[in-house]
Amino acid sequence: MARNISMKQAVNEALDQAMAADPSVICMGEDIVGGAGAHGEKDAWGGVLGVTKGLYAKHGDRLLDTPLSESAYIGAAVGAAACGMRPVAELMFIDFMGVCFDQIFNQAAKFKYMFGGKAETPVVIRAMVGAGFRAAAQHSQMLTPLFTHIPGLKVVCPSTPYDTKGLLLQSIRDNDPVIFCEHKNLYALEGDVPEASYAIPLGEANVVREGRHCSIVTYGLMVHRSLEAAAALAKEGVEVEIVDLRTLSPLDMDTVLESVTKTGRLVCVDEASPRCNIATDISAQVAMHAFGALKAQIEMVAPPHTPVPFSPTLEDMYIPSAGQIADAVRRTLKGGRH
């Protein structure tokens, strides 16, 4: 039975069901308990935005409040995973990866390769990503491309509550390290989510809108901006197809290439900085593997190559808009290969 719940509730429910089903699943992070079990329990937040609120009451000490040391508890999570546990570590903001990156890309990502496939590291690192929250440059980045660059890591960034629950449950069951990116501006988004446990396979994109004139390939918050653009373009008689990548590594290029082959045009949209981001990766692969199908130049939509501004007006201008996406579609429709 499905109910209408928020993305934040979908994360909480996935963690709850994973912990109930498997005693090896533990959660750790800064303030994820937040006073629960003490005199301040009524005020316990469960993380900076309350995502893990209520889980301590159900699962007790399997939720571990950690010191303010990302290098310590991410390292502990990686070590616990190597010893048979399935830790879910919350890196409060993806921007804090700079403190513990060695534990992620030099240890967790390489264990299986270094030990001939015999070592498994089933750790999930959850982190908030994205701008638009008035959280300044050091709390607002979309650093997904940094992790997709690393062999041995899986990278997930859902756009709906349904996908969030299914992908998080699958990520916890996966035997490889997963960076699970949750866009903070989508936490309040509501959608139909089944009560029962279910899993969505990693590495499978989702065509969220069918179309025939142009393909938009994107993920996260930009899926919703792209849907807005598609609705506006439909009034002009333009039918846009939208591919939600969902998983950035492994990357479902088959679905992307199938869509581009059908429409002949491509717009890649990414909230990450424009140099070496997901949009540039997709664009390059399409140019290599489906050049003959393209009827016009590939367009990319991304923020300017600057830190995220703190000014609300500038931050809103920084994030790619539905209007910018629609304009990119119009440009590629006007273009053509001769």
Side-chain angles (χ1 to χ4, degrees):
M1 180 179 177
R3 313 121 310 145
N4 211 47
I5 64 172
S6 69
M7 182 179 285
K8 183 167 75 170
Q9 290 172 301
V11 174
N12 185 289
E13 190 165 277
L15 293 172
D16 184 18
Q17 292 181 354
M19 296 184 82
D22 186 349
S24 70
V25 178
I26 59 173
C27 295
M28 58 176 69
E30 297 164 350
D31 201 35
I32 64 167
V33 175
H39 295 299
E41 183 168 353
K42 291 182 180 179
D43 298 323
W45 275 83
V48 67
L49 292 182
V51 178
T52 52
K53 188 177 180 67
L55 293 181
Y56 182 81
K58 296 181 179 181
H59 305 287
D61 291 338
R62 287 166 63 197
L63 276 85
L64 308 172
D65 261 349
T66 67
L68 300 179
S69 175
E70 288 80 8
S71 59
Y73 74 82
I74 294 297
V78 172
C83 293
M85 303 297 287
R86 290 189 177 273
V88 181
E90 181 181 297
L91 186 61
M92 193 178 288
F93 294 92
I94 197 74
D95 318 73
F96 299 167
M97 51 76 67
V99 186
C100 55
F101 200 39
D102 183 72
Q103 287 83 346
I104 298 171
F105 93 101
N106 258 341
Q107 308 303 326
K110 293 181 172 61
F111 281 165
K112 180 174 284 188
Y113 182 80
M114 290 168 61
F115 294 101
K118 297 179 181 179
E120 292 181 339
T121 314
V123 60
V124 175
I125 299 173
R126 295 179 41 244
M128 288 191 289
V129 299
F133 207 68
R134 315 310 188 213
Q138 72 272 42
H139 303 89
S140 303
Q141 297 166 94
M142 180 63 77
L143 298 179
T144 44
L146 272 69
F147 295 97
T148 60
H149 180 74
I150 308 300
L153 296 180
K154 294 179 179 177
V155 184
V156 180
C157 190
S159 66
T160 67
Y162 177 85
D163 286 353
T164 295
K165 180 178 175 180
L167 289 168
L168 182 52
L169 282 166
Q170 181 59 40
S171 296
I172 294 170
R173 297 169 187 171
D174 200 277
N175 288 327
D176 293 317
V178 179
I179 311 299
F180 197 88
C181 303
E182 301 162 14
H183 202 295
K184 59 181 81 71
N185 272 342
L186 291 177
Y187 272 152
L189 177 73
E190 294 188 345
D192 286 342
V193 178
E195 290 184 25
S197 176
Y198 62 93
I200 296 173
L202 304 187
E204 291 188 8
N206 185 30
V207 178
V208 297
R209 183 181 176 118
E210 298 275 354
R212 61 191 178 91
H213 292 130
C214 180
S215 300
I216 297 178
V217 178
T218 188
Y219 65 97
L221 176 66
M222 293 297 104
V223 171
H224 301 280
R225 297 286 171 91
S226 298
L227 287 167
E228 290 177 41
L233 290 163
K235 297 175 182 177
E236 303 170 17
V238 177
E239 298 176 17
V240 171
E241 182 154 294
I242 300 174
V243 178
D244 179 359
L245 294 170
R246 301 196 294 193
T247 303
L248 306 177
S249 187
L251 187 63
D252 182 4
M253 278 305 301
D254 288 343
T255 297
V256 173
L257 293 171
E258 182 179 345
S259 177
V260 173
T261 300
K262 179 173 75 171
T263 66
R265 290 177 167 85
L266 172 64
V267 173
C268 292
V269 185
D270 193 352
E271 191 184 328
S273 292
R275 297 296 310 279
C276 304
N277 65 8
I278 306 301
T280 62
D281 183 8
I282 296 290
S283 298
Q285 293 200 54
V286 169
M288 284 191 295
H289 302 297
F291 184 76
L294 290 172
K295 300 174 184 176
Q297 75 281 2
I298 296 170
E299 291 283 342
M300 292 188 290
V301 181
H305 194 51
T306 69
V308 181
F310 180 63
S311 159
T313 302
L314 292 177
E315 185 175 21
D316 290 343
M317 293 175 64
Y318 171 90
I319 305 169
S321 68
Q324 288 174 300
I325 297 167
D327 285 343
V329 172
R330 294 184 187 105
R331 286 195 300 272
T332 195
L333 288 171
K334 289 179 181 177
R337 289 171 54 201
H338 303 289

